[in-house]
Amino acid sequence: MKNNYKEIYDRIAKLQCALQKHSIDAAIIAQKIDLFYFTGTLQQGLLFVSNEGEPLLFVKRDFDRAKIESPLKYIYNLKSMNNLPQFLNEHNYKTQTIAFELDVIPYNLYRRYSAIFPNAHFVDLSTEIRKIRMIKSKTEIEKIKKSGELIEESFLELKKNIRIGMKEIDIACELEYLARKKGHMGLVRMRAFNQEMFFGHILSGTSGLLTSYVESPTAGEGQGAFFSQGAGDRVVKENEPLSIDFVFCYEGYLVDMTRIFYAGEPSKEYRNIYNVAKEIHQTIVENALPGITCNEIYLKTLNIVSKHKLEDIFMGPKGKQAPYIGHGVGLELDELPVLAKNIDDKIEENTVFALEPKFFIPEVGIAGIENTYLMTDKGVLLLTKYSDDIQIII
Amino acid sequence: MKNNYKEIYDRIAKLQCALQKHSIDAAIIAQKIDLFYFTGTLQQGLLFVSNEGEPLLFVKRDFDRAKIESPLKYIYNLKSMNNLPQFLNEHNYKTQTIAFELDVIPYNLYRRYSAIFPNAHFVDLSTEIRKIRMIKSKTEIEKIKKSGELIEESFLELKKNIRIGMKEIDIACELEYLARKKGHMGLVRMRAFNQEMFFGHILSGTSGLLTSYVESPTAGEGQGAFFSQGAGDRVVKENEPLSIDFVFCYEGYLVDMTRIFYAGEPSKEYRNIYNVAKEIHQTIVENALPGITCNEIYLKTLNIVSKHKLEDIFMGPKGKQAPYIGHGVGLELDELPVLAKNIDDKIEENTVFALEPKFFIPEVGIAGIENTYLMTDKGVLLLTKYSDDIQIII
């Protein structure tokens, strides 16, 4: 029995429970990360999960590899999708209502499935799937913790090498290399359409104030219009903040962390604003318990921001402010929960999320801290332990 | 006037021509790479292109940045999609049939658009869009050529550092770093659902024989089931081939190249098979002229393969062979044309494609060469000029 046997079948059971709750006959899982989550393999194909009984994995490529990687009992070589309904029918599976990941499945692929199952009614189960994935297992948490350790090690080494006069892009190259050598998988996966990320955002001074197409409070100048986010050619100068927002990915599992490096002595004003970000983290660490809602965390944060009269520069330059203060992380960077106003989803035990209160100081740059936390039965546990002081560099 | 003004409006004109040909009122472009191609900016939003007249760019985020990056005359701040039909109606734009990128648009997003335009008939124009993008402009070709120069420089430096006993993953880290320092953008973008790539595949010996979920003849072991392609922990040994398939991306534009490194002296049999790949490239270089079809290139290649009785190990291990021998490259790695049997698309002047004849020798590994070519009026021009001899390493 493969060592991920119980893990995978537990996930399937949660999916079946969601299907039963919504009176849906079955789910078809086709997006690669959901497939990996529910089967243990990324191999091309589809997973058919009836609301009870054994799930069936149909693999187009690579079948042999899927059999090695996945602990599922029934794995078939998928020659043609057209035979699927007959096969399912012969095995007495119902397919009148089929749940599908309609947030990510391209329209043409949807049409293909609906032609193959002409009598089926397809319903969107993507939010339920994302909510299942939001609660991490022990194994997942171990990997995320390891990711947190490795990002700390990477930053410790990086700090020795950052100097005034370096370009953002050169710091990015060093950090990427350090991270890869420590086991960073390379890719940073995102679920949302049109979103993408390459390791993170290394932004000096005012380049931290530039927003772009990426759904992140920061973006930076990037290398050009062809990739308008992340490190650019701007040179790190004295007396301005250098914000390093980086994602580590160990064995598929992400953590997200931002730290401020500073060449010179930050002004009192800068330190005061920076300390508000610290105060926000401290308040959440001291107060958040399982069951707290996203909205409650958001309001606690906004209270602190308002107390210091910093609303205008919070989570983006004035007029371009992001409507959230954090997000779930796991196999993808944009997982649930979304820490935003009026989102009443509860943060239960074993949820992992990044909290990123950041201030956008005109003509200066970013002041803020991002950490990834695990919600435990006793409250939140910090997974990105690298010092949250301003990192003075020379 | 911005320096990409003519370039962008020429592209729009081609799109309008396609709309007229198919009697479609207008196109909505929403996928980020198509958006970048037709507007010059990746910023979030949508481009509305009527079959005649000025295109309208509606930007959600970041509006100011889109105005700087795009040369389009009409750029609007998009507050809500719901007002779109009224706006278009007031400006006398027809929207009875709307072309959309239905190969990539997620189903839920499609539903949103069809709710906003309840009387519109949406049609798929993705193949036409991809055919427009297949023919590269002078500016695009310059960037792709530069990408070809930089991949050559990267390989020249890498060769000095490869040693027996190194792990695939360590070679990958070195090459990624070298490439990034030379201006590699980082991301390697792919269009197809569920596909992804991180720089390429560095595969030693028999790890070259493993296929996976990626639509590429090779995949390798990768780092685990969570990313089952690319470099893994396998150590480079004497007397076996090391295949380095790498994608360079300069200012958004890709080239794709594979070279074989070898520690020791390749056997006569290995060299013979390797030379068949050379013969294939030479034949295409000598014979392909604008107007040649994908099928013709495929048949020419297969003739050579058959002459040497190597069909069983061509383009994949026996039974897992890829049905194509090359693909277009540009802003995405999986562009048109697809060099495959029965594909009658013509390769016209200014098409850029990668040709990758590869043999999968049981218990040995890969023998093959991949180059990126530009079709010119005089025939194909090699863009990846790094020596195509077997690279002997120590």
Side-chain angles (χ1 to χ4, degrees), chain A residues 30-33 35-36 40-45 60-65 69 101-110 124 126 169-170 172-174 176-177 180-181 183-187 189 193-199 210-229 231 250-252 320-322 324 331, chain B residues 30-33 35-36 40-45 60-65 69 101-110 124 126 169-170 172-174 176-177 180-181 183-187 189 193-199 210-229 231 250-252 320-322 324 331:
Chain A
Q31 188 247 22
K32 64 179 185 294
I33 304 306
L35 261 179
F36 176 68
T41 178
L42 280 170
Q43 301 306 316
Q44 267 188 55
K60 207 180 123 205
R61 178 182 167 97
D62 183 277
F63 174 61
D64 298 324
R65 198 157 184 165
E69 292 173 342
E101 304 137 303
L102 295 179
D103 63 331
V104 288
I105 299 293
Y107 179 78
N108 283 349
L109 185 60
Y110 168 85
D124 186 18
S126 55
I169 189 76
D170 290 323
C173 292
E174 298 308 317
E176 291 159 17
Y177 180 80
R180 285 284 280 155
K181 292 295 279 186
H184 192 303
M185 185 182 90
L187 291 177
R189 291 171 173 138
F193 181 61
N194 274 349
Q195 293 295 298
E196 60 188 3
M197 177 69 64
F198 188 72
F199 288 101
L210 292 166
T211 55
S212 192
Y213 68 105
V214 62
E215 291 282 3
S216 159
T218 65
E221 202 166 314
Q223 299 161 61
F226 53 91
F227 191 27
S228 47
Q229 59 162 309
Y250 175 73
E251 298 201 347
K320 298 188 176 187
Q321 289 156 288
Y324 59 87
L331 290 167
Chain B
Q31 188 246 22
K32 65 179 184 293
I33 304 306
L35 262 180
F36 176 67
T41 178
L42 281 169
Q43 300 308 315
Q44 268 189 55
K60 207 179 124 204
R61 178 180 165 99
D62 182 273
F63 173 61
D64 297 323
R65 197 156 184 167
E69 292 173 341
E101 307 137 300
L102 296 180
D103 63 331
V104 288
I105 299 291
Y107 179 78
N108 282 349
L109 187 58
Y110 167 85
D124 186 17
S126 55
I169 190 78
D170 289 324
C173 292
E174 298 308 317
E176 291 158 18
Y177 181 78
R180 284 284 281 156
K181 291 296 277 187
H184 192 304
M185 185 183 92
L187 291 178
R189 292 174 173 136
F193 181 61
N194 273 350
Q195 293 295 297
E196 60 188 3
M197 176 69 64
F198 188 71
F199 287 101
L210 293 167
T211 55
S212 192
Y213 67 105
V214 62
E215 292 282 3
S216 159
T218 66
E221 202 166 313
Q223 298 162 60
F226 52 90
F227 190 26
S228 48
Q229 60 162 308
Y250 174 73
E251 297 200 350
K320 297 188 175 186
Q321 291 157 288
Y324 59 87
L331 290 166

Side-chain angles (χ1 to χ4, degrees), chain B residues 33 36-37 133 140 189 252-254 329-333 335:
Chain B
I33 304 306
F36 176 67
Y37 181 81
R133 284 182 39 192
E140 291 184 291
R189 292 174 173 136
Y253 284 89
L254 309 166
V329 298
L331 290 166
E332 291 165 327
L333 186 61
E335 295 204 356

